């Protein structure tokens, strides 16, 4: 799941300054699950913008809309008949959403209403943790199902750095050392000797470091 955080209201107000008619655009995808960009959050943000603009003596015209997904052109197309009516669109989808909307509707300024932070999962209600950096070459099966790339502060592939204390990371003491967890997990499975393998330097070309990535499924293309 893509996890994000709402931008401060003041920042959004500054982005749409001088724009009379504004659309707050939500997404029913990941940002709904993490409670920053779904239909409920669209209503909250739109109301807050109206109140703030009215207090400032500005036109409070802020409308609301939520798409099934903003990362899919099929759903973005639902804006085709209304996009040109607005002086600005505030997208509270992940970082892909405002880009897709801006690419489709060239004349309307599109502003991001959230900050996309990481790919993770829920530890408990209201708590999410990073679990993946989308490196393009998943190797978690070699480490007891735990990812040293995303969960080690140094992204070490070959054992702990030696600086952890009491099972916690030396860089972020409040974060458990994933290598401590990996050793315990592999030991419990009777696979500890597998960690003696020395892994070569990671090929980051499959990750973002190789430039923007594209996935083509010929069997799905029409």
């Amino acid at each position: 799941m893509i996890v994000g955080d709402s931008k401060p209201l003041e920042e959004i107000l500054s982005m749409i300054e001088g724009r009379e008619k504004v659309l707050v655009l939500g997404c029913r995808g990941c940002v709904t699950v993490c409670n920053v960009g779904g239909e409920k959050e669209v209503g909250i943000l739109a109301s807050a913008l109206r109140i703030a603009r009215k207090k400032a003596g500005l036109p409070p015209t802020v409308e609301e809309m939520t798409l099934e997904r903003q990362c899919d052109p099929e759903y973005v197309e639902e804006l085709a008949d209304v996009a040109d009516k607005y002086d600005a669109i505030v997208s509270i989808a992940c970082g892909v959403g405002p880009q897709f909307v801006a690419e489709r509707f060239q004349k309307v300024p599109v502003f991001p209403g959230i900050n996309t932070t990481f790919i993770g999962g829920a530890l408990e209600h209201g708590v999410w943790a990073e679990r993946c950096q989308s490196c393009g070459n998943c190797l978690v099966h070699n480490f007891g199902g735990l990812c040293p790339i995303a969960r080690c502060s140094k992204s070490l592939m070959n054992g702990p750095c030696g600086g952890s204390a009491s099972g916690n990371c030396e860089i972020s003491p409040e974060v458990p050392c994933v290598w401590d967890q990996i050793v315990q997990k592999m030991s419990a499975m009777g696979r500890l000797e597998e960690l003696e393998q020395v892994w070569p330097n990671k090929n980051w070309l499959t990750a973002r470091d190789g430039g923007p990535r594209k996935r083509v499924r010929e069997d799905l293309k029409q």
Side-chain angles (χ1 to χ4, degrees), residues 73-211:
E74 175 185 356
Y75 296 108
V76 173
E77 196 61 28
E78 294 176 13
L79 288 168
D81 295 332
V82 299
D84 291 340
K85 298 194 307 180
Y86 299 101
D87 302 308
I89 295 175
V90 177
S91 166
I92 55 174
C94 73
V96 176
Q99 295 187 65
F100 263 49
V101 175
E103 289 171 13
R104 172 60 181 84
F105 305 104
Q106 300 285 328
K107 297 181 179 180
V108 185
V110 181
F111 301 97
I114 74 170
N115 296 318
T116 304
T117 49
F118 56 78
I119 299 176
L123 300 183
E124 58 183 278
H125 187 67
V127 180
W128 296 270
E130 185 171 17
R131 288 293 184 267
C132 178
Q133 285 192 6
S134 302
C135 74
N137 184 19
C138 190
L139 298 171
V140 298
H141 57 290
N142 296 304
F143 306 103
L146 304 169
C147 178
I149 300 299
R151 300 176 66 177
C152 171
S153 297
K154 301 175 183 178
S155 295
L156 296 180
M157 293 280 289
N158 291 289
C161 64
S164 62
S166 301
N168 290 331
C169 175
E170 67 171 341
I171 295 177
S172 305
E174 72 282 1
V175 176
C177 171
V178 74
W179 269 104
D180 182 78
Q181 295 178 330
I182 289 171
V183 169
Q184 292 188 43
K185 182 71 179 295
M186 294 292 278
S187 179
M189 292 190 295
R191 297 172 53 195
L192 191 60
E193 71 282 354
E194 294 180 30
L195 295 181
E196 295 178 2
Q197 175 178 342
V198 177
W199 291 90
N201 293 333
K202 183 172 176 57
N203 178 5
W204 291 101
L205 289 177
T206 58
R208 177 60 182 81
D209 303 67

Side-chain angles (χ1 to χ4, degrees), residues 39-74:
E39 193 166 2
K40 179 183 72 175
E41 290 74 34
V42 166
I44 293 171
L45 176 57
S47 295
L49 292 174
R50 291 187 198 105
I51 292 170
R53 284 162 66 101
K54 190 172 183 179
K55 285 183 177 179
L58 301 172
T61 309
V62 179
E63 298 184 359
E64 308 169 21
M65 187 173 180
T66 302
L67 302 181
E68 191 66 28
R69 289 191 297 275
Q70 289 190 37
C71 60
D72 192 325
E74 175 185 356

